[in-house]
Amino acid sequence: MKMGTDPNLQFAVEGLHARYAHALDADRLEEWPQFFSENGRYRIATAENEERGLPLPVLSAEGRGMMRDRIQSLRHANIYEPQRYRHIVSSILIEGIDRHTVRSVASFLVVRVMQDGQTLLFASGRYLDRIALAPEPLYAERVVVCDSRRFDTLLAIPL
Amino acid sequence: MKMGTDPNLQFAVEGLHARYAHALDADRLEEWPQFFSENGRYRIATAENEERGLPLPVLSAEGRGMMRDRIQSLRHANIYEPQRYRHIVSSILIEGIDRHTVRSVASFLVVRVMQDGQTLLFASGRYLDRIALAPEPLYAERVVVCDSRRFDTLLAIPL
Amino acid sequence: MKMGTDPNLQFAVEGLHARYAHALDADRLEEWPQFFSENGRYRIATAENEERGLPLPVLSAEGRGMMRDRIQSLRHANIYEPQRYRHIVSSILIEGIDRHTVRSVASFLVVRVMQDGQTLLFASGRYLDRIALAPEPLYAERVVVCDSRRFDTLLAIPL
């Protein structure tokens, strides 16, 4: 516990998280891969599996190409009815820094707003991130650890 | 995407949002107009109508005078039973700056706590703000874009 | 309302709140007393009782020793079934500073994730804090003012 957080670094991380959340919530899913570095990794897991060391992600993608594919099939498969998401992100903490990357953790809560207007708690959990700083802040790895073991099997959009 | 956020500017925006939220949540509604500049504008809209370009705000007010009137009628009409709100605001992003004003976006979630203690998700959405910086940060315009199309028709307090 | 927030001070407070929330959400309850100064005070109250000036905390503890005891009995009594919490904290505002301590207010929302995966709104409210800055930021006093008057009587973990 120390007071020496670098404001620019903290804001770089917070800004990346904020842009990511707004892109998803505005259904600009095609931008999603661009928040990752070229070989960036994305994974959704449950807290339970993470604690047991079970390498069973609910979903994973490696590299922007695979992410683009995922978004494309999402769009074409047309599996999801119109709905909105709202990400709330807080308690963003930088846990480690080396020359090129930052490790950070943050809490999230996502609500889902259905077509008929109903608002539901959809997911909560932690983001565990490794962020490459140059030339601009991008996720080298984003692990989404959901608190709940229960998932909507469609799990349409990235968290 | 860059790292050059001015910490003072970011904090000015975050501080204004925080004071606004605490005032509403503490039922200090009479302070509400003072968060706006003299001719400030306030509007609640739905995401659906915004996307369709329909100029049909759920509610709007122009200038502190109209805002004061609204709060007064709210108090006198006595239409609302005792209840509490809690605003959670996150992902505050500065999107543009000119000499006198800042444009920013933020996500919000509001829960409503009823008299009997029940807590409900009340609203979620985006704040789209234009903020005048001098002599102190104030909203020149605050547009509240709600994710849901469904509203409590009373919609007692400002969001 | 002014723009002169000291970034280091703001981050010190935000960082403390963030570490506190992550410790609780990760079930690292044994760390809880260490977020307080040796004689730190912790109290959970309801907004209703606070407004009426009723000194009836739902729960209170004075000093790390009493906090440790509370966590120990929580662990041993085994009264709580496995469940997770997720704290969302926002609108962190520094309200006063003197030479050694900072007074601040923040909003919180806590969801509880049950064993079967169900996610519920558990509590919302305000943190009213007095934070000692040196040698490191610690709570001299944390008052948790819950919006709802209704409580889960077990109220297993600290908020």
Side-chain angles (χ1 to χ4, degrees), chain A residues 1 3 5 7 10-11 14 47-48 51 88 90-91 93 105-109 121 124-126 147-150, chain C residues 8 11-12 15 18-19 21-22 35 84 86-89 109 111 113 115-121 136-137:
Chain A
M1 292 201 212
M3 295 180 59
T5 312
Q10 181 74 27
F11 281 136
E14 293 186 1
E48 198 179 2
E51 280 158 20
I88 300 292
S90 86
S91 303
L93 213 52
V105 60
S107 290
F108 70 85
L109 185 68
L121 286 175
S124 70
R126 275 172 301 152
D147 293 325
S148 174
R149 59 156 78 176
R150 199 166 66 179
Chain C
N8 289 322
F11 280 136
R19 290 187 300 270
H22 283 298
F35 289 101
R84 291 173 193 285
R86 182 61 50 193
H87 288 66
I88 301 291
V89 182
L109 186 68
V111 300
V113 183
Q115 179 74 348
D116 68 358
Q118 205 188 350
T119 300
L120 304 164
L121 286 175
E136 56 178 355

Side-chain angles (χ1 to χ4, degrees), chain B residues 4 10-11 33 40 51 68 71 79 84 93 104 132-133 152 156:
Chain B
Q10 181 74 27
F11 280 137
E51 281 158 19
R68 271 185 222 110
I71 297 299
I79 51 167
R84 291 173 193 285
L93 212 54
S104 77
L133 294 172
D152 184 318

Side-chain angles (χ1 to χ4, degrees), chain C residues 40-77:
Chain C
R41 300 150 75 105
Y42 176 79
R43 188 157 62 87
I44 300 183
T46 65
E48 199 178 2
N49 280 1
E50 285 288 296
E51 280 157 20
R52 291 183 182 174
L54 297 178
L56 289 170
V58 176
L59 183 154
S60 75
E62 244 184 278
R64 283 186 183 168
M66 200 184 291
M67 294 177 194
R68 271 185 222 109
D69 289 350
R70 174 157 174 80
I71 296 300
Q72 277 203 343
S73 36
L74 207 65
R75 291 292 193 202
H76 291 135

Side-chain angles (χ1 to χ4, degrees), chain B residues 84 113-114 116-119, chain C residues 46-47 124 146-151:
Chain B
R84 291 173 193 285
V113 183
M114 307 309 287
D116 67 358
Q118 207 189 349
T119 301
Chain C
T46 65
S124 70
C146 292
D147 293 324
S148 174
R149 59 156 78 175
R150 199 166 66 179
F151 273 96

Side-chain angles (χ1 to χ4, degrees), chain B residues 11 22 84 86 89 117 136, chain C residues 1 10 51 91 107 147-148:
Chain B
F11 280 137
H22 284 297
R84 291 173 193 285
R86 182 61 51 193
V89 181
E136 58 178 353
Chain C
M1 294 200 208
Q10 181 73 28
E51 280 157 20
S91 302
S107 290
D147 293 324
S148 174

Side-chain angles (χ1 to χ4, degrees), chain A residues 10-23 25 86-92, chain B residues 2 5-22 87-96 102-109 125-131 133 137 139 142, chain C residues 10-11 14 89-93:
Chain A
Q10 181 74 27
F11 281 136
V13 173
E14 293 186 1
L16 178 61
H17 289 5
R19 289 188 299 270
Y20 178 99
H22 283 297
D25 292 345
R86 183 61 51 193
H87 288 65
I88 300 292
V89 182
S90 86
S91 303
I92 298 168
Chain B
K2 53 192 197 311
T5 311
D6 175 346
N8 289 322
L9 202 57
Q10 181 74 27
F11 280 137
V13 173
E14 294 185 0
L16 178 62
H17 289 5
R19 290 188 299 272
Y20 179 99
H22 284 297
H87 288 67
I88 300 291
V89 181
S90 86
S91 302
I92 299 168
L93 212 54
I94 291 178
E95 296 203 307
V102 168
R103 279 186 308 104
S104 77
V105 60
S107 290
F108 70 84
L109 186 68
R126 276 172 300 151
Y127 287 125
L128 303 179
D129 298 305
R130 279 195 313 110
I131 296 167
L133 294 172
Y139 298 112
R142 161 148 274 197
Chain C
Q10 181 73 28
F11 280 136
E14 293 186 0
V89 182
S90 86
S91 302
I92 299 168
L93 211 53

Side-chain angles (χ1 to χ4, degrees), chain A residues 38-52:
Chain A
E38 189 57 44
N39 301 310
R41 300 151 75 106
Y42 176 80
R43 189 157 61 89
I44 301 183
T46 65
E48 198 179 2
N49 279 1
E50 285 288 296
E51 280 158 20
R52 291 183 183 174

